[in-house]
Amino acid sequence: MRFVLIAALGLTCALPALAADLPPKPVRLGLCAACHGETGMAQIPGAPNLAAQRLDYLRKALKDYRDGTRDVPLMRAAIGPLSDAELDQLARWYSAQTLQPQAAAHP
C-alpha cells in the first residue's frame, strides 16, 4: 500500500512537468482534430494516428499535402490555406503527443 501511495504522489507531482513539455495548442488544431483527434488519436476509420509521429516526418507530410506533392484532395482542402508557421505548430503539437492504446472494437 505504501508503494502505491508513493507512486501516486510521484505521478501527481510529475504531471505538471509533463504538461509543461507540450507545445502550445495550435489555433488551427480543429481542422485536424475532426479526423485525427486533438491528441492525435484518429476519430474516424481510415484516418491515421498522428500522436508521437516524428516531427520532421509530420512537417514534410503537411507541406506535401498543402502543396499538392501528396495528392489527397481532402487533406489539401483542409490545410491548403495554412502557412508554414501554422503547419509547424501542428507538426510540433502532434509529435509531442503520447500514443494511446486503442479501445478494442466490439462486433
Side-chain angles (χ1 to χ4, degrees):
M1 182 69 174
R2 176 183 269 183
F3 176 77
V4 173
L5 289 174
I6 291 171
L9 180 61
L11 184 58
T12 302
C13 293
L15 286 177
L18 292 173
D21 290 341
L22 286 178
K25 189 181 290 188
V27 174
R28 302 286 196 128
L29 184 61
L31 292 171
C32 305
C35 297
H36 299 286
E38 188 171 302
T39 61
M41 298 304 293
Q43 300 298 301
I44 62 171
N49 293 327
L50 301 181
Q53 287 282 350
R54 290 188 340 261
L55 178 59
D56 59 338
Y57 168 79
L58 287 174
R59 280 183 180 141
K60 179 162 179 20
L62 288 170
K63 287 180 182 179
D64 287 350
Y65 285 126
R66 181 194 62 196
D67 300 339
T69 305
R70 287 188 179 195
D71 189 21
V72 180
L74 177 65
M75 287 296 296
R76 189 162 190 199
I79 62 174
L82 299 184
S83 68
D84 283 350
E86 290 169 317
L87 294 181
D88 187 63
Q89 289 173 349
L90 290 166
R92 286 181 180 280
W93 173 261
Y94 280 123
S95 69
Q97 301 302 311
T98 303
L99 194 58
Q100 302 294 319
Q102 293 282 34
H106 297 288

